[in-house]
Amino acid sequence: MTTVDDRTPTVADVSGPSRLAEPDEAISAEELQLAARNHGIPLEALRYDVTPAGLHYLLIHYDIPDVDPVAHTLTIGGAVDRPLTVTLADLRERPRVTRQVTLECAGNGRALLHPRPVSQPWLVEAVGNAEWTGTPLAPLLREAGLGPDAVDVVFTGADHGVERGVEQDYQRALSVADALREEVLLAYEMNGAPLLPQHGAPLRLIVPGWYGMAHVKWLQSVEIRTEPFEGYQNAVAYRVRTDADDPGVPVTRIEPRALVRPPGFPDFMSRRRVLRPGPCTVDGRAWSGHAPVVSVEVTTDGGQSWAPAELDPADGGDFAWRRWRYEWSATPGRHVLGARATDASGRTQPVEQPWNRGGFANNLVQRVEVVVPAE
């Protein structure tokens, strides 16, 4: 006989705690459901300097909210002298800035970790580079008049859900100093067109150099606080920790990464590549949120040896990815390609990935298996 639980349910009953997969545990139906809602960039789309909107990676925490762009307003309040309420039309009347920015999900690479943190099962494709148009945030904060005791700026989206038992609007905070950086944008266009619903329409935050969790979509309010923000997405989620009891350190700027645009053509199921023997230009993209990328090295033998690649000029600006290329003579056999980026701060990609419980800020060198058949 089945036991009936007649206890009145709570919101927490629909949302379990975080966990790690068992050593041989396959991707679960829940993870597959997340993977169907969210998607990464097809790696062949690394050919584009600017990622088309439909190919850009996508992560939606809860539901895409139904927001009317005509009626939508943004409020700026909290510890300010002059609270503001502005419409999208008001923002379009302000100074207009377009900036290329590479966005990467903080969990990119999570599914490659062992043991695997159970969440959105990203491999390496959670990235894209778009042109974002909007108006700088800092002038509006100054117009509102930040108090001398202001500490954090909290950004609230219109998306609402429950996560690990906590019901919430999606909220993230930046320090006042970070929020006042001149490159931080209130964006209303992507690649020269109004934002699409899945990318935050009608208004989102763009924080160049930071992982995707900071770029709050469907932005509806900005609140200045005199105490550090302890909301879920800052204090609990998006922290690098070694175990469940570790308070961890916050995830912030993007670690350096290079991706290979896979050469040749793929097997349908495995995505292993088939490449004809002979000369081949291996290329891809590299980026970092800490400092400009200054070098990329390429391996064609699974990391046994490395050779320098050529970097294209940084035409997209300080926060956009750069193309790199390497001339290779493909010989018959099996090869494992990869690329390793180093930025001006001295950070470089590891060949052995440090593990963390949330699966964040993983920038382990990518492996691209290539088969070169004999003629």
Side-chain angles (χ1 to χ4, degrees), residues 273-303:
R273 311 301 294 190
V274 178
L275 181 65
R276 305 299 183 202
C280 172
T281 299
V282 179
D283 70 347
R285 303 285 172 169
W287 63 93
S288 173
H290 291 276
V293 170
V294 294
S295 68
V296 172
E297 300 167 280
V298 175
T299 181
T300 59
D301 54 18

Side-chain angles (χ1 to χ4, degrees), residues 28-275:
S28 67
E30 286 185 331
E31 289 174 291
L32 180 60
Q33 182 174 241
L34 286 175
R37 284 185 56 80
N38 306 305
H39 66 77
I41 186 174
L43 290 179
E44 62 270 27
L46 293 173
R47 70 169 71 99
Y48 300 110
D49 292 335
V50 174
T51 308
L55 299 180
H56 195 284
Y57 101 90
L58 186 66
L59 178 69
I60 301 165
H61 276 82
Y62 308 131
D63 284 352
I64 299 171
D66 185 7
V67 182
D68 180 356
V70 176
H72 186 68
T73 60
L74 175 70
T75 61
I76 300 176
V80 297
D81 299 329
R82 296 169 294 277
L84 302 177
T85 299
V86 292
T87 66
L88 196 62
D90 295 331
L91 293 175
R92 286 182 172 275
E93 291 296 320
R94 301 181 67 88
R96 178 183 173 94
V97 175
T98 297
R99 183 170 284 121
Q100 276 193 37
V101 178
T102 297
L103 268 60
E104 182 180 8
C105 184
N108 202 15
R110 175 186 289 124
L112 301 174
L113 294 180
H114 302 283
R116 184 184 82 254
V118 176
S119 185
Q120 167 66 31
W122 291 123
L123 297 173
V124 297
E125 295 92 347
V127 67
N129 184 69
E131 289 186 338
W132 304 96
T133 298
T135 193
L137 170 67
L140 279 99
L141 295 181
R142 295 190 181 100
E143 287 176 27
L146 300 180
D149 53 352
V151 173
D152 276 355
V153 182
V154 180
F155 302 90
T156 301
D159 46 333
H160 185 86
V162 57
E163 194 165 345
R164 308 307 183 195
V166 180
E167 185 177 352
Q168 59 192 281
D169 292 329
Y170 187 85
Q171 291 182 306
R172 280 284 304 185
L174 295 172
S175 70
V176 168
D178 284 318
L180 287 173
R181 287 167 47 207
E182 66 176 17
E183 61 265 23
V184 177
L185 290 180
L186 299 172
Y188 44 75
E189 291 182 8
M190 178 184 187
N191 295 349
L195 290 174
L196 294 170
Q198 66 270 33
H199 286 294
L203 188 68
R204 71 175 298 171
L205 187 68
I206 295 293
V207 187
W210 284 52
Y211 280 111
M213 77 283 157
H215 305 246
V216 178
K217 294 187 282 189
W218 310 292
L219 185 64
Q220 59 184 1
S221 73
V222 178
E223 182 185 1
I224 289 75
R225 297 196 181 183
T226 57
E227 298 289 341
F229 177 61
E230 296 295 331
Y232 180 88
Q233 301 296 339
N234 272 68
V236 180
Y238 295 108
R239 300 185 75 86
V240 176
R241 46 169 62 95
T242 56
D243 57 58
D245 297 323
D246 178 7
V249 296
V251 178
T252 57
R253 289 179 177 269
I254 299 172
E255 296 298 320
R257 187 192 291 273
L259 287 182
V260 176
R261 181 166 68 97
F265 54 91
D267 171 66
F268 172 70
M269 285 294 294
S270 69
R271 303 304 297 179
R272 290 188 184 92
R273 311 301 294 190
V274 178
L275 181 65

Side-chain angles (χ1 to χ4, degrees), residues 317-329:
D318 292 342
F319 299 103
W321 62 22
R322 293 179 69 177
R323 187 185 181 206
W324 56 266
R325 65 190 77 205
Y326 175 74
E327 300 303 325
W328 177 45
S329 181

